Structure formats: C-alpha cells, structure tokens
Amino acid sequence: MDTHILPVELEKAYRLLNHGPTVLVSASHGGIDNVMAAAWACALDFAPPKLTVVLDRASYTRRLIEQGGTFAIQIPTAAQLDLTLAVGSISGGEVKDKLARCGVELFRAEGAAQQPLVAGCSAWLACRLIPEPHNQQTYDLFIGEVVGAWADSRVFRNGHWLFEQTDPQWRSLHHVAGGHFYAIGEAMTGSNPEEV
Amino acid sequence: MDTHILPVELEKAYRLLNHGPTVLVSASHGGIDNVMAAAWACALDFAPPKLTVVLDRASYTRRLIEQGGTFAIQIPTAAQLDLTLAVGSISGGEVKDKLARCGVELFRAEGAAQQPLVAGCSAWLACRLIPEPHNQQTYDLFIGEVVGAWADSRVFRNGHWLFEQTDPQWRSLHHVAGGHFYAIGEAMTGSNPEEV
C-alpha cells in the first residue's frame, strides 16, 4: 500500500464525506471486481460510522454488493475527473474489461480484504452492508457501516482536509449533471457568537 | 417574493443538491417556525424528486416535521456562513427567539404555504415527508418528496449553477466539522471517450 495512505480513526471517518463529494463505489464478489461513480452518497452516523448511498438497480456494482455484503466508498480527486466520468458511463455487466479501459487500479488495505479500493483517490471507507430490503427495493437506498477508513496524508491528515494547502489536483469533485462538476474551493471558518 | 427567485422544474430539482452542499432545514407546525443546519442531506430520486436528510432526535425542527409532515431544504450561501453556524448551534426548543437572534427572515412561496423558506439562500426545495417510521427511529433518516423548487436566478438559472460567474458570496457551503467549511470552487467538465 502506498506509504502516504494512513488509517483514519473511525470516529472521524464522517469527515471524509461531510462536505458532499461525488464518490466511487467499489465491490467484489465471486472473484469479480467493479467500480461505479455515485453523487448520492452521504454520512448517516458518527459512531459507529454509517453512510447511505443510492445505487441504481441496473448497476452491476449493486449486484455485487447485494451478493457479497461489502463495498467501499472512496473520494476521487480532480486528477481523476475523466476516470470518474468513465466508470459512471459504462457498465461492468456489459464491458468485461471496464476497469482496465477506465484506467482503474485496485488495491487492498489491511483488515479490509473484501473491499477493493481504487488507487489514486484521496480517501477510502470500507463498509459492510446493513441489509434493509425495504429501502433497497423501494428507494435504491443502501446503508453501510464503515469498518475501516484511510486517507492520503498529502490531502487529509490528523482528521482534517488540507485542500487549501495542496495541489488543486487533490481537490474533491462535486457533480452537478451531465459531466459538469465543481471542485471543492476555499476554506471558510465561521464565527458564531452563540457557540460555547 | 424577491423577483430574482424563479421556480425550478421539478425534474431538475436534484441539481440543487447534487454537489453536496450543507443545507438549512426549516419547518412549521402549530404556528411555530424553526430552522436548523444539516450537512447530511442528499438527493434520492429524480422524478418525482426525493431527498434524504438526517435529523438528530434532539432537534426541535425534527419534532415540527414529525408533527406537520412538511419541511423545506434550502442552500445557504457563503454570505450566510455565520447564520448557518448559528442556527446549527442553538435549539429553537430552548431559545424562543432563536430565528431573530440568528438573523433568519422567513418567506413563503406560492404553492408551498406550509413550508417556511429562509430569505437570502440560493435555492429552496419544499418537501412533504414520506413517513418511514423504521428509518426515522433507527437511523434518524427522513425521506421527503420535493413538491416545489425555486432558485435565485443570480446563481442558478435554466437548470445550471452559475457559481463561476457570480460573486463568491453566492457560493454554497460544505461543512467538514467544528465550524470549518469549504466553499464550492471551480467548474470542471470532464471528457469521456466512452460517452455516446
């Protein structure tokens, strides 16, 4: 594993998702890996950390998650814009060499052998599916418990994103529609007279 | 209503949330209005548009939503950073003049008389609660169907955010933790050789 990649304390894992980035969803089952893009992923709880992700019923990755019960959510960088669009546009169910064609390299992290992780991202959340058949069938809504989290220490360190201190190529992507994204921007800290 | 505020077609309402901004949640019941901040709001469906939002069980706004069955999600601007922090820090259940103290002005839009909307935001989504008691009790997770959407045409027009063309004070806020936010940043459009 790249030596820049460090574990993130589980109680701070929500911070990886809190600012609303577009994510990549990866899963593996029966020796088959796949990766898709998703804009609709969101933190759900702090401790144990949980998250939600909406997975279209046509997606091959969803099938792998339903079968294998595990998945990973990772945060792609501005440098991975084209990769993110590509994995969001073609289906691993139809294109057998999808990952190679999209330039995706996978790796595994210690303690999360079942979750394939996409190299080059800024952060990774390995999850186990919390089965909720009604949500999955009615809303395409999946809930995961985060069982391991890692980040590239060049952009997230000691529980904090460092977007303002690093190369803009590390910034997270925020999809609007049709391949149009915004990168995350400037840091802002509010002052709140009510806060104790 | 401010003449800059225009309706957004319901099938494009997801675009208001797709880039993952921190939102304000407002509700009214029995003549009482309240507003809170939430980082965990997410689009759930395109048509009819739906969304999810996580509401802590201690929050007064949640109680109003459970009782009244309606709420609004709105996107605060960088100019509203302190307001956003303030409504996220004190409870309307404890501080009776919370909204005045936080500088919140409310208005109503045509066709959404039940949902109080916060003036000065960039976009608004009026919702009706889709009751899902298991999600609400187990996960603090609420699902809403969007029944009306509006945006300030100075920052969202014809289905598109215009952050890159307007004053930075209009940018959306993306909370990380403890009052630390990022504003949304630069526009990026990917090229995808696989796309048809």
Side-chain angles (χ1 to χ4, degrees):
Chain A
M1 198 159 82
D2 187 313
T3 54
H4 294 292
I5 300 174
L6 299 179
V8 174
E9 296 167 77
L10 281 186
E11 57 267 39
K12 290 185 177 161
Y14 77 92
R15 297 184 181 186
L16 301 174
L17 270 185
N18 218 67
H19 67 298
T22 292
V23 304
L24 304 180
V25 187
S26 56
S28 184
H29 182 68
I32 299 172
D33 300 319
N34 203 28
V35 178
M36 63 182 280
W40 297 355
C42 191
L44 177 66
D45 208 351
F46 295 104
K50 297 189 193 77
L51 55 80
T52 55
V53 60
V54 180
L55 303 170
D56 189 89
R57 61 193 64 236
S59 85
Y60 190 59
T61 304
R62 170 172 168 163
R63 242 180 294 165
L64 298 177
I65 295 170
E66 287 170 332
Q67 291 167 356
T70 59
F71 61 100
I73 297 288
Q74 46 249 298
I75 320 291
T77 68
Q80 291 174 307
L81 176 62
D82 290 347
L83 180 155
T84 301
L85 261 180
V87 298
S89 304
I90 61 176
S91 170
E94 290 159 18
V95 179
K96 289 304 162 203
D97 62 346
K98 169 177 174 177
L99 298 186
R101 275 172 65 171
C102 295
V104 171
E105 272 181 59
L106 298 174
F107 70 101
R108 251 74 174 182
E110 204 177 321
Q114 289 180 283
Q115 290 92 347
L117 306 180
V118 178
C121 287
S122 57
W124 300 264
L125 300 138
C127 300
R128 72 169 184 87
L129 178 66
I130 298 178
E132 286 285 1
H134 170 68
N135 285 334
Q136 295 169 204
Q137 293 310 314
T138 307
Y139 300 114
D140 299 332
L141 179 70
F142 289 71
I143 296 179
E145 180 183 336
V146 180
V147 295
W150 299 266
D152 192 300
S153 55
R154 289 170 290 187
V155 63
F156 185 94
R157 204 162 51 235
N158 300 326
H160 298 286
W161 285 108
L162 308 171
F163 294 122
E164 65 274 35
Q165 301 174 23
T166 55
D167 191 297
Q169 289 294 303
W170 281 104
R171 293 193 179 231
S172 55
L173 298 168
H174 299 252
H175 191 231
V176 178
H180 297 283
F181 293 80
Y182 287 95
I184 199 65
E186 296 314 300
M188 301 187 78
T189 301
S191 65
N192 177 14
E194 304 287 354
E195 208 159 33
V196 289
Chain B
M1 198 159 83
D2 188 312
T3 55
H4 294 293
I5 300 175
L6 300 179
V8 174
E9 296 167 76
L10 282 184
E11 57 267 38
K12 290 185 177 159
Y14 76 93
R15 296 184 181 185
L16 301 174
L17 269 185
N18 218 68
H19 66 300
T22 292
V23 304
L24 304 180
V25 187
S26 56
S28 183
H29 182 69
I32 299 170
D33 301 318
N34 203 26
V35 177
M36 63 180 280
W40 298 354
C42 192
L44 177 65
D45 206 350
F46 294 105
K50 297 189 192 77
L51 55 80
T52 56
V53 61
V54 180
L55 302 171
D56 190 89
R57 64 193 64 236
S59 85
Y60 191 60
T61 304
R62 170 174 168 161
R63 241 179 295 165
L64 298 178
I65 294 171
E66 287 171 331
Q67 291 167 354
T70 58
F71 61 101
I73 297 288
Q74 46 251 299
I75 320 292
T77 69
Q80 292 174 308
L81 176 62
D82 290 346
L83 179 155
T84 301
L85 263 179
V87 299
S89 304
I90 61 176
S91 170
E94 289 160 18
V95 180
K96 291 302 164 204
D97 62 344
K98 168 177 173 176
L99 298 186
R101 273 172 67 168
C102 296
V104 171
E105 273 181 59
L106 298 174
F107 69 101
R108 253 72 177 182
E110 202 176 322
Q114 289 181 281
Q115 291 92 349
L117 307 179
V118 178
C121 288
S122 58
W124 301 263
L125 300 139
C127 300
R128 71 169 186 88
L129 178 66
I130 298 178
E132 287 284 0
H134 170 67
N135 285 333
Q136 294 169 204
Q137 294 310 315
T138 309
Y139 299 113
D140 298 332
L141 179 69
F142 289 71
I143 296 179
E145 179 183 336
V146 180
V147 296
W150 300 265
D152 192 301
S153 55
R154 289 170 289 187
V155 63
F156 185 95
R157 203 161 53 233
N158 300 325
H160 299 285
W161 285 107
L162 307 170
F163 294 122
E164 65 274 37
Q165 301 173 24
T166 55
D167 190 296
Q169 289 295 303
W170 282 104
R171 293 192 181 233
S172 55
L173 298 168
H174 300 252
H175 192 230
V176 178
H180 296 284
F181 293 80
Y182 287 95
I184 199 65
E186 296 313 300
M188 300 187 78
T189 300
S191 63
N192 176 15
E194 304 285 355
E195 209 158 33
V196 288

